[in-house]
Amino acid sequence: MRFTSEQRLDDGVLEREFTLGEIPGILWTPASASASAPAPLILVGHPGGLHKMRPRLAARARRSGADGFAAATIELPGGGDRPRFAVAEQARADLRRALEAGEPVDEEIVDRLVLPLVEKAVPEWQTTLDALLSLPEIGGPVGYSGGVIAIGVRLAVVEPRISAAVLFAGSFVPRTLFEEARQVTIPLHVLLQWDDEGNDRQSALDLFDAFGSKEKTLHANMGGHTGVPEFAGDAAARFFTRHLS
Amino acid sequence: MRFTSEQRLDDGVLEREFTLGEIPGILWTPASASASAPAPLILVGHPGGLHKMRPRLAARARRSGADGFAAATIELPGGGDRPRFAVAEQARADLRRALEAGEPVDEEIVDRLVLPLVEKAVPEWQTTLDALLSLPEIGGPVGYSGGVIAIGVRLAVVEPRISAAVLFAGSFVPRTLFEEARQVTIPLHVLLQWDDEGNDRQSALDLFDAFGSKEKTLHANMGGHTGVPEFAGDAAARFFTRHLS
């Protein structure tokens, strides 16, 4: 992990860009974090395109910083300036064609779109987690926050260092995800934008139902995909404070 | 409104039993409430049987008191020691028979069970509201919290003094309620116990979808009908603090 830039924001949060091999990322640590008081960590997921997503990710990270958490994000495989991801590009083109034609989206397209991404992204998150947890100012416990929901679910299943997750419903859900969801046991807080135009609401409700976690909460709110109300962000932050502090 | 008992609880909340005509009720006011600083009011709904429900209602009221709110509840028509409500009794017997026989519950039974109760309970709540708001230590705004959800919905439609509501999904929903739900415009916070054995989850989701309110939030949690987790109660309290303070 190589830090490539560093700036102290006005709220005291230290924002550092880094690269991990070829993967670019950003780490935010609260002013309070130190070797003697390492901060718990939230991994901030997103749908890819770090540069475009950055203002929203930074806002989430600074909110976490105010609560005493470090936050980190990395670019998705094929996202932003990373090399195109051929199989996903093809699936995305097929998806666009189906949506424009007003056809139902074939499950096989969703599988091709999401599953290779999960296969590639999850080990990258784990490598990133190794590197982050080796920093003296960062400790456990670790949470995952965001979409792509299939990545969050897989991480919750395979990565024992993640102890709670805020999952954003709103991306296509491959069939196998329901099976994986049953294996999730960590506390979950699921955000669903009720009128999200790009989201299959029923599929999100079915997925929530499938999770094996004893503590799982669904917060459904009005507004489109990016319209999560501020109070819903506050509620998600409180979920992490309950489980990671 | 005639007060029949009065005690100061250890958290400073003043608990007073009252009767309003033949209707018994309980009023809780925070220590901070006075004529010069009247407290906002939360009407606390329940499924009937004030005596049995009292510990849970008092806990909710005292939580509201800690947030600076007064809280009040009254017995439901036909509930507790109030005269039996013949039509609802008959419907309840028919419902029990259908449930014991494992039959689907006929919509006509639900109508007979819920609608007369709504017709009778809503004006009683309004008379109670008149009396409560005439007390110098109680002011607006007013919220409604609880079930029976059909009573909460009707109140939200017909009573302009109610400016926000926490509604508990989990009772039978008459068909006409969906029409009424579309007329509701106040901010709503809907609690759904996902695995509530006595609740039709799909019907609760459909009702949430039907509400006309621009701000409506659904919080679904695990556990049975009475198993609302403490953090869900906290979230409902924060909803009222946002809207009634």
Side-chain angles (χ1 to χ4, degrees):
Chain A
M1 171 171 275
R2 198 169 62 82
F3 289 107
T4 56
S5 81
E6 171 174 329
Q7 64 170 322
R8 181 73 65 175
L9 307 176
D10 52 15
D11 51 8
V13 167
L14 183 65
E15 180 181 82
R16 285 176 282 181
E17 296 178 306
F18 64 82
T19 55
L20 189 74
E22 294 179 343
I23 309 165
I26 311 172
L27 170 63
W28 295 268
T29 40
S32 60
S34 70
S36 58
L41 173 65
I42 297 173
L43 305 178
V44 181
H46 61 86
L50 198 49
H51 186 70
K52 210 181 87 188
M53 292 293 297
R54 185 167 181 155
R56 279 199 278 153
L57 298 173
R60 279 160 62 193
R62 292 171 80 162
R63 167 65 207 250
S64 300
D67 293 335
F69 300 122
T73 191
I74 52 173
E75 182 60 279
L76 268 196
D81 298 329
R82 295 190 64 186
R84 298 295 94 192
F85 194 20
V87 57
E89 293 285 305
Q90 181 59 50
R92 208 183 313 273
D94 294 344
L95 174 68
R96 206 176 301 121
R97 202 156 35 233
L99 291 175
E100 282 168 3
E103 292 166 10
V105 176
D106 199 283
E107 290 180 336
E108 173 271 331
I109 296 179
V110 173
D111 287 352
R112 279 194 287 124
L113 182 71
V114 179
L115 296 181
L117 195 66
V118 172
E119 289 295 333
K120 208 165 153 65
V122 166
E124 292 184 353
W125 270 117
Q126 292 182 292
T127 307
T128 306
L129 188 52
D130 294 340
L132 291 168
L133 289 177
S134 74
L135 298 174
E137 67 273 29
I138 298 190
V142 180
Y144 180 86
S145 167
V148 173
I149 197 165
I151 294 174
V153 171
R154 176 72 60 86
L155 272 170
V157 172
V158 302
E159 179 47 69
R161 289 174 293 182
I162 293 181
S163 47
V166 171
L167 298 177
F168 293 29
S171 40
F172 290 96
V173 172
R175 293 160 289 188
T176 50
L177 199 63
F178 293 91
E179 284 310 314
E180 286 190 66
R182 278 178 250 284
Q183 300 169 45
V184 175
T185 56
I186 60 170
L188 294 181
H189 181 102
V190 180
L191 286 173
L192 169 62
Q193 289 299 95
W194 195 253
D195 292 327
D196 186 346
E197 57 291 341
N199 186 19
D200 179 342
R201 186 197 297 162
Q202 191 57 51
S203 148
L205 293 170
D206 291 344
L207 189 62
F208 177 72
D209 192 46
F211 286 122
S213 304
K214 206 174 142 201
E215 183 190 327
K216 54 180 177 178
T217 299
L218 176 75
H219 282 204
N221 287 289
M222 294 303 102
H225 192 66
T226 59
V228 178
E230 193 182 332
F231 62 80
D234 291 345
R238 270 187 299 268
F239 168 83
F240 277 133
T241 295
R242 270 193 297 122
H243 289 288
L244 304 183
S245 292
Chain B
M1 171 170 277
R2 197 168 64 81
F3 289 107
T4 55
S5 81
E6 171 173 330
Q7 64 168 322
R8 181 74 64 177
L9 307 176
D10 52 16
D11 51 8
V13 168
L14 183 64
E15 180 181 82
R16 285 176 283 180
E17 297 178 306
F18 64 82
T19 55
L20 189 73
E22 294 179 343
I23 311 164
I26 310 171
L27 170 63
W28 295 269
T29 41
S32 59
S34 69
S36 58
L41 173 66
I42 297 173
L43 305 178
V44 181
H46 61 85
L50 199 48
H51 185 71
K52 212 181 88 188
M53 292 293 297
R54 185 167 181 155
R56 278 198 279 153
L57 298 173
R60 279 159 63 193
R62 293 172 78 161
R63 168 63 207 251
S64 299
D67 292 337
F69 300 123
T73 192
I74 52 174
E75 182 59 278
L76 268 195
D81 298 329
R82 295 190 63 186
R84 298 293 95 194
F85 194 21
V87 57
E89 293 285 305
Q90 182 58 51
R92 210 184 311 274
D94 294 345
L95 175 68
R96 206 176 301 121
R97 203 155 33 233
L99 290 175
E100 282 168 4
E103 292 166 9
V105 177
D106 199 283
E107 291 179 336
E108 174 270 331
I109 297 179
V110 174
D111 287 351
R112 278 194 287 124
L113 182 71
V114 179
L115 296 181
L117 195 66
V118 172
E119 291 295 334
K120 208 165 153 65
V122 166
E124 292 184 352
W125 270 117
Q126 292 182 291
T127 307
T128 306
L129 189 51
D130 295 340
L132 291 167
L133 289 177
S134 73
L135 298 173
E137 68 273 28
I138 298 191
V142 179
Y144 179 86
S145 168
V148 175
I149 196 165
I151 294 174
V153 171
R154 176 72 60 84
L155 271 169
V157 172
V158 302
E159 179 46 69
R161 290 174 293 183
I162 293 181
S163 45
V166 171
L167 298 176
F168 294 29
S171 40
F172 289 97
V173 173
R175 293 159 290 188
T176 51
L177 198 65
F178 292 92
E179 286 308 315
E180 287 190 67
R182 278 178 250 284
Q183 301 169 45
V184 176
T185 56
I186 60 170
L188 294 180
H189 182 103
V190 181
L191 286 173
L192 169 63
Q193 288 299 94
W194 195 253
D195 292 327
D196 186 345
E197 56 291 342
N199 184 20
D200 180 343
R201 185 196 299 163
Q202 190 57 51
S203 150
L205 293 170
D206 291 345
L207 189 62
F208 177 72
D209 193 45
F211 286 122
S213 305
K214 207 174 140 201
E215 183 189 327
K216 54 179 178 178
T217 299
L218 176 76
H219 282 203
N221 288 290
M222 293 305 99
H225 192 67
T226 59
V228 177
E230 192 182 333
F231 62 79
D234 291 345
R238 269 187 299 268
F239 168 82
F240 277 133
T241 295
R242 271 195 295 122
H243 289 288
L244 303 183
S245 294

